[in-house]
Amino acid sequence: MLLGCTKQCSTASLLFVAHSGAQNPSSLFRNFFTKRTKELKPAVQSAPGWKLFGKVPPRENLPKDSKIIQQEYEARTGRMYKPPPPSARRKNIEFEPLSTTALILEDRPANLPAKSVEEALRHRQEYDEMVAEAKKREIKEAHKRKKIMRERFKQEDNIASAMVIWVNEILPNWEGMRATRRVRELWWQGLPPSVRGKVWSLAVGNELNITPELYEIFLSRAKERWKSFSETSTENDVEGASVADREASLELIKLDISRTFPSLYIFQKGGPYHDLLHSVLGAYTCYRPDVGYVQGMSFIAAVLILNLEEADAFIAFANLLNKPCQLAFFRVDHSMMLKYFAAFEVFFEENLPKLFLHFKSYSLTPDIYLIDWIFTLYSKSLPLDLACRVWDVFCRDGEEFLFRTGLGILRLYEDILLQMDFIHIAQFLTKLPEDITSEKLFSCIAAIQMQNSNKKWAQVFASLMKDNKEGDKNHSPAPKS
């Protein structure tokens, strides 16, 4: 009945507006609803709220004062509250507490039991200790950042001064100065990036007499080969091809390029150096089909490309892989590789006898970790800037420094490795920590003495080669009469 009445009243009101002849009906609506709203305001303010099926009944009791709550609590518990002296309470809050750490100093709300003097003092002490520790950490981190910045500025100054010496004094007189003590010491400190590629090219040399024109010839052959390979080859053709052909194929090179310095995103497909790296590797497979393409080559070529022009990178790449050590590894000459491992173990036992025996107890041989290091010249295992510095001294000292670097890594992590078993040692050396620094590594490398019974690396390796030849002669069959 009430709903029907409301509808009829509303209809009557609308009809009245339509037939009243009022010039401004909207004003009537506005006045009508405004008056209705004003009438409802007191009722709305007096009501405490609404619930699903009607109004909440008005509260009879007013909110209790905090003092009343405190008195009720004291009467219920029988304990009297003694407020702490004014000195122990915080009168002024100078900041909004941003964490629970700061809340321990805040007084509890008035409707809760206040802190005792002992609790307030304990909280103050805990807070002061936390603040002191936080300040210590901040000061320590600030000193660390300042130290890093000072070292960086110092390194930049050293590089700038060294660059002037290399450009104006050493490079114009390369042959006469390269072996001097001053140049060798400067070389050990690392080459300035602006002259690194030039020094590498001069140090590696060009015994193969490769010219930029020869590179273009082999590059064009590689492109023709890739084109014919993509047009005519099938899976059966690839399976029936020789090992060298499979490793020289476009697909294998493409696969390896995509895994070369993936964090840099410059050698992957679409990157600025993708096609350049592809060209250098493809040209080399045509230049040295007896070697072909072997996994790990892409890292060496990539480092050279970052420091040299395309043709110069190819010339350095081909001559570098023509060195005895690299040729033995990339051609997988097992007998030669074993000689290098044996020579490495001679100096391993000489410099790190405790770790050497630990490795021996687990039958952990050098090939497990050295092959990856030598194949990529540490460019995959170490941070790129540190690997470039290893390359600097490698170009100065030759293959000996590659094995000396390996011993330096073992010395750096000797204490950790002594606590590990076979599996964990192999995993650790396969993926070295990323936070390794050049200062720590090169200090460990400098501590490695490449001398055994007054014999240097070259003499030890030569004696191993001689023993191998004599052993082959003794085991050779006697000639028939």
Side-chain angles (χ1 to χ4, degrees):
M1 292 291 292
L2 179 63
L3 181 64
C5 179
T6 304
K7 286 183 178 179
Q8 290 175 2
C9 292
S10 300
T11 306
S13 301
L14 292 171
L15 289 172
F16 173 76
V17 171
H19 296 285
S20 63
Q23 294 180 355
N24 192 2
S26 61
S27 63
L28 184 60
F29 275 109
R30 187 165 57 249
N31 293 335
F32 175 76
F33 286 111
T34 303
K35 190 177 295 184
R36 180 72 178 268
T37 304
K38 289 179 181 177
E39 291 174 358
L40 290 175
K41 271 186 179 180
V44 171
Q45 288 175 354
S46 62
W50 294 82
K51 65 179 182 179
L52 188 60
F53 296 106
K55 289 186 178 181
V56 177
R59 296 179 181 176
E60 296 178 359
N61 300 327
L62 295 173
K64 295 181 180 180
D65 185 71
S66 59
K67 291 183 179 179
I68 298 174
I69 295 173
Q70 181 67 30
Q71 291 172 1
E72 290 179 357
Y73 171 78
E74 292 173 356
R76 188 168 61 253
T77 59
R79 289 185 298 178
M80 294 295 292
Y81 166 64
K82 295 180 180 180
S87 59
R89 297 174 61 90
R90 296 185 68 204
K91 295 181 179 179
N92 298 322
I93 300 177
E94 298 177 355
F95 61 91
E96 287 289 332
L98 299 178
S99 66
T100 55
T101 303
L103 288 176
I104 64 174
L105 289 180
E106 301 303 321
D107 294 328
R108 294 195 180 104
N111 61 337
L112 294 177
K115 296 179 183 179
S116 65
V117 178
E118 293 80 7
E119 186 179 12
L121 291 175
R122 188 178 75 252
H123 285 177
R124 161 61 71 177
Q125 185 179 0
E126 291 174 356
Y127 177 75
D128 291 341
E129 288 174 358
M130 285 187 284
V131 170
E133 287 296 324
K135 286 182 178 179
K136 284 181 182 178
R137 285 196 300 270
E138 289 179 4
I139 293 171
K140 188 176 180 180
E141 290 175 0
H143 285 314
K144 187 177 179 180
R145 288 193 296 269
K146 287 181 180 179
K147 184 179 179 182
I148 292 172
M149 292 303 296
R150 283 198 302 268
E151 290 177 353
R152 185 177 296 174
F153 291 147
K154 183 180 178 181
Q155 185 179 10
E156 289 176 357
D157 293 339
N158 292 337
I159 289 173
S161 59
M163 183 187 66
V164 174
I165 297 172
W166 279 100
V167 172
N168 297 332
E169 299 179 29
I170 301 173
L171 291 178
N173 306 290
W174 174 253
E175 293 300 331
M177 294 190 66
R178 64 176 297 180
T180 60
R181 183 175 179 178
R182 181 194 176 199
V183 172
R184 289 181 64 83
E185 289 178 354
L186 198 62
W187 210 328
W188 174 268
Q189 297 171 10
L191 297 172
S194 57
V195 300
R196 175 168 278 152
K198 180 65 175 177
V199 175
W200 285 359
S201 294
L202 293 170
V204 172
N206 188 12
E207 294 179 354
L208 300 174
N209 295 318
I210 302 174
T211 61
E213 292 76 20
L214 189 63
Y215 165 66
E216 293 296 335
I217 292 171
F218 285 110
L219 178 58
S220 62
R221 288 183 186 177
K223 290 179 178 178
E224 291 174 2
R225 187 174 183 178
W226 293 335
K227 185 178 179 181
S228 61
F229 180 86
S230 60
E231 290 176 354
T232 61
S233 66
T234 62
E235 291 184 3
N236 294 329
D237 294 335
V238 174
E239 289 175 1
S242 64
V243 175
D245 288 337
R246 287 204 306 272
E247 291 190 334
S249 68
L250 176 63
E251 295 303 320
L252 184 55
I253 294 176
K254 277 185 177 180
L255 179 63
D256 221 18
I257 288 176
S258 66
R259 296 181 292 200
T260 304
F261 297 118
S263 60
L264 298 181
Y265 302 105
I266 57 176
F267 294 106
Q268 285 63 44
K269 191 172 183 180
Y273 291 104
H274 174 269
D275 295 340
L276 194 58
L277 181 57
H278 198 267
S279 298
V280 171
L281 294 174
Y284 181 77
T285 59
C286 290
Y287 174 70
R288 290 299 299 266
D290 58 320
V291 179
Y293 177 76
V294 182
Q295 283 186 330
M297 288 183 177
S298 61
F299 281 90
I300 299 176
V303 174
L304 292 170
I305 287 170
L306 290 174
N307 292 276
L308 291 163
E309 296 297 327
E310 182 176 352
D312 294 329
F314 175 79
I315 294 169
F317 181 70
N319 281 278
L320 189 59
L321 298 193
N322 198 51
K323 302 293 182 183
C325 181
Q326 278 63 52
L327 202 58
F329 275 80
F330 282 110
R331 295 183 73 171
V332 196
D333 187 338
H334 290 287
S335 62
M336 284 291 291
M337 290 171 69
L338 290 174
K339 300 298 175 297
Y340 280 108
F341 294 148
F344 173 81
E345 286 195 305
V346 169
F347 294 96
F348 187 2
E349 185 177 13
E350 181 75 20
N351 287 273
L352 305 167
K354 194 174 180 180
L355 187 62
F356 176 79
L357 292 175
H358 184 65
F359 278 28
K360 280 291 184 183
S361 66
Y362 287 110
S363 300
L364 199 150
T365 52
D367 57 291
I368 293 174
Y369 50 92
L370 270 184
I371 285 180
D372 193 44
W373 294 353
I374 303 300
F375 262 106
T376 61
L377 302 181
Y378 296 96
S379 56
K380 181 182 177 183
S381 307
L382 298 176
L384 184 57
D385 57 340
L386 180 53
C388 286
R389 190 172 169 189
V390 170
W391 278 46
D392 292 343
V393 188
F394 163 62
C395 290
R396 187 194 77 171
D397 295 348
E399 63 187 34
E400 172 187 332
F401 189 73
L402 295 178
F403 297 95
R404 190 181 179 188
T405 301
L407 292 173
I409 293 172
L410 296 179
R411 182 184 178 89
L412 178 61
Y413 297 110
E414 181 178 12
D415 294 337
I416 298 173
L417 295 170
L418 285 171
Q419 307 300 321
M420 295 181 176
D421 57 12
F422 181 95
I423 297 296
H424 291 93
I425 292 172
Q427 291 175 344
F428 183 87
L429 295 179
T430 301
K431 186 173 177 58
L432 295 171
E434 296 180 357
D435 60 349
I436 183 171
T437 61
S438 59
E439 290 76 15
K440 291 181 179 179
L441 178 58
F442 270 77
S443 64
C444 290
I445 294 173
I448 298 296
Q449 300 297 320
M450 297 301 283
Q451 194 164 346
N452 175 260
S453 301
N454 296 325
K455 288 184 179 180
K456 295 184 178 181
W457 168 269
Q459 294 170 320
V460 170
F461 187 76
S463 64
L464 289 170
M465 291 293 294
K466 184 179 179 182
D467 294 342
N468 183 58
K469 289 179 181 178
E470 290 177 355
D472 292 341
K473 287 180 181 179
N474 294 332
H475 289 89
S476 62
K480 294 182 181 180
S481 55

